[in-house]
Amino acid sequence: MIDWVGLHSNAWAQIQADLARDRLSHALLLAGPAGIGKLDFAESLAASLLCDQPQPDGRACGHCTSCTWHASGNHPDFRRVRPEAFEELSPDAETDKPASAKTDRKKSEQIRIDQVRGLEAFIQVGSHRGRRVIVIEPAEAMNEATANALLKSLEEPPAGVHFLLVSHAAERLLPTVRSRTRAVPLGVPSRPAALQVFAAMTPSFKDGNLWLNRCAGALRFAIDLATAAEKRPEASEDAIVEASLIDALLSQLMQGPRMDALALAKSCEALVKGDLSGTRLALLVDWLQRWALDLQLVRLGAAPMVFPEHAATFQKLASGLNDDRLSHYPEGLLEARRLCGHPLNIRLFLESVFSRTLALYEPSA
Ligand SMILES: [Zn+2]
């Protein structure tokens, strides 16, 4: 178990101090880069707010009735709101739709408006034991109508109701939502602290630094990917797909002008297709952007930051680059990133992206 509260101890201490003075905002926006344990932090905070006898530092006791309920996922005063595609439909997200409606369509990668409307009844009925806590993650997965529906609940919730919004793209939230929450910025854990966690958790991991570099210090991502790359039984399906995508990309991208763009498109398509195709395509483009960043750094005479272990190969690739193409390549990736959320032909999309990558090595006219 990783101590995410300890890794973000300043934010935790501030929240506990506010709580002790009865000045904690009823809606917190836990914001920061993806993969640093924001959701884990939110879950610990929810457990602590619901706990009957919190410890002196505010953490949940872990064994009272409330903690037992929360741990089993059955706390009557707790709701977690996430896009359906991110997890199996939980009892929390109960809707009155017939079962067939749920199974016939693609699961949403957005939080649906009826999930948010369902909260109104929950916060208006009396609580079972005092406080009620709602975790919304990721908060940016709400379109404008859904966010507006949430505003009503955010405006004047009854006493004892706590909203914990989790976001790694807080700038994309409606200003009206942001202004009704108090921001709690969470940063990337320090490298020594992250390496310590890595080592303590999994002493046999080969190289914590390798994964922390790849994930820009985002510890949760780094551990998830390391777990998946080493094919451990506890690896999540998402992380296995992501680690496979990175493998597929690197195995071709590092061949430079000899890469097989069509074969790469085919293998990546097999990995991204399904309910989460939009999310996974975006993930793929993110990794391509990181690889391109390293290529640009090496071209400028600097060391690669994300994949430093491939420094020698990057050197070789950089010597054969078309600088004009390279200078326009990032814009193309940004444009591709914008298209990911829209329905598209995945194979054609990938072939186009990788053809542009291959064109980086075409001789200048
Ligand atoms: Zn407790």
Side-chain angles (χ1 to χ4, degrees):
M1 279 293 284
I2 302 175
D3 178 15
W4 295 104
V5 167
L7 285 164
H8 299 292
S9 55
N10 290 345
W12 183 265
Q14 182 61 52
I15 289 170
Q16 294 305 325
D18 287 351
L19 198 56
R21 280 176 284 157
D22 203 19
R23 281 176 41 195
L24 186 67
S25 164
H26 67 273
L28 299 179
L29 173 59
L30 305 166
I36 58 165
K38 297 188 300 297
L39 181 58
D40 306 85
F41 185 93
E43 292 284 343
S44 295
L45 181 54
S48 133
L49 289 168
L50 294 167
C51 175
D52 298 332
Q53 288 175 309
Q55 302 177 50
D57 66 359
R59 294 175 197 243
C61 74
H63 43 73
C64 68
T65 311
S66 200
C67 285
T68 312
W69 279 346
H70 188 246
S72 68
N74 292 319
H75 202 299
D77 295 327
F78 178 72
R79 290 286 184 278
R80 187 185 297 113
V81 180
R82 306 187 75 196
E84 272 178 22
F86 288 13
E87 60 183 359
E88 286 308 306
L89 200 60
S90 64
D92 299 334
E94 209 60 68
T95 70
D96 52 8
K97 286 201 172 69
S100 61
K102 287 174 194 163
T103 50
D104 288 352
R105 62 180 166 78
K106 191 170 179 282
K107 284 183 184 168
S108 178
E109 293 173 69
Q110 290 282 306
I111 292 170
R112 287 178 295 102
I113 194 163
D114 48 340
Q115 286 178 280
V116 166
R117 287 200 179 124
L119 294 173
E120 282 172 38
F122 167 69
I123 65 174
Q124 294 306 332
V125 298
S127 114
H128 291 75
R129 306 165 71 83
R131 289 189 179 127
R132 274 158 293 164
V133 181
I134 299 150
V135 170
I136 300 181
E137 191 272 347
E140 63 272 17
M142 292 186 287
N143 65 22
E144 196 168 338
T146 307
N148 276 320
L150 178 66
L151 276 182
K152 271 203 249 167
S153 304
L154 278 184
E155 248 155 18
E156 285 174 11
V161 171
H162 294 267
F163 283 93
L164 307 178
L165 279 67
V166 179
S167 175
H168 47 259
E171 71 286 353
R172 273 164 43 201
L173 301 181
L174 286 187
T176 40
V177 168
R178 275 210 306 268
S179 68
R180 281 168 181 77
T181 59
R182 191 174 75 80
V184 179
L186 298 177
V188 171
S190 75
R191 184 60 65 102
L195 281 174
Q196 220 168 30
V197 170
F198 230 99
M201 221 189 116
T202 46
S204 63
F205 270 138
K206 284 190 210 87
D207 192 355
N209 262 321
L210 178 125
W211 290 104
L212 287 163
N213 287 337
R214 290 187 175 186
C215 298
L219 179 59
R220 165 162 281 304
F221 282 168
I223 286 174
D224 286 352
L225 286 177
T227 308
E230 298 200 355
K231 300 192 169 37
R232 296 181 181 224
E234 70 269 26
S236 74
E237 198 201 324
D238 282 345
I240 291 170
V241 170
E242 187 169 1
S244 308
L245 275 176
I246 298 169
D247 268 353
L249 285 172
L250 286 180
S251 69
Q252 288 286 347
L253 295 177
M254 298 318 285
Q255 295 191 42
R258 288 182 294 113
M259 75 178 267
D260 185 338
L262 299 185
L264 181 56
K266 190 177 172 192
S267 55
C268 288
E269 182 193 27
L271 288 167
V272 303
K273 69 183 178 197
D275 279 345
L276 285 164
S277 61
T279 307
R280 286 179 175 162
L281 270 184
L283 200 60
L284 183 154
V285 177
D286 287 347
W287 282 104
L288 206 51
Q289 283 173 322
R290 286 170 210 164
W291 173 83
L293 174 78
D294 272 0
L295 192 62
Q296 286 173 303
L297 283 173
V298 174
R299 183 66 182 161
L300 295 169
M305 288 173 63
V306 185
F307 304 105
E309 71 279 12
H310 289 290
T313 314
F314 273 118
Q315 285 288 352
K316 279 186 217 150
L317 299 188
S319 63
L321 281 169
N322 177 326
D323 282 321
D324 187 49
R325 290 271 161 78
L326 181 64
S327 68
H328 292 106
Y329 188 65
E331 297 161 27
L333 291 181
L334 277 179
E335 178 58 29
R337 184 69 169 73
R338 275 193 288 271
L339 290 173
C340 290
H342 304 284
L344 41 74
N345 180 317
I346 295 175
R347 179 75 73 91
L348 287 180
F349 172 83
L350 291 170
E351 286 180 359
S352 148
V353 167
F354 295 137
S355 301
R356 259 178 283 153
T357 309
L358 190 55
L360 289 173
Y361 307 98
E362 278 174 10
S364 311

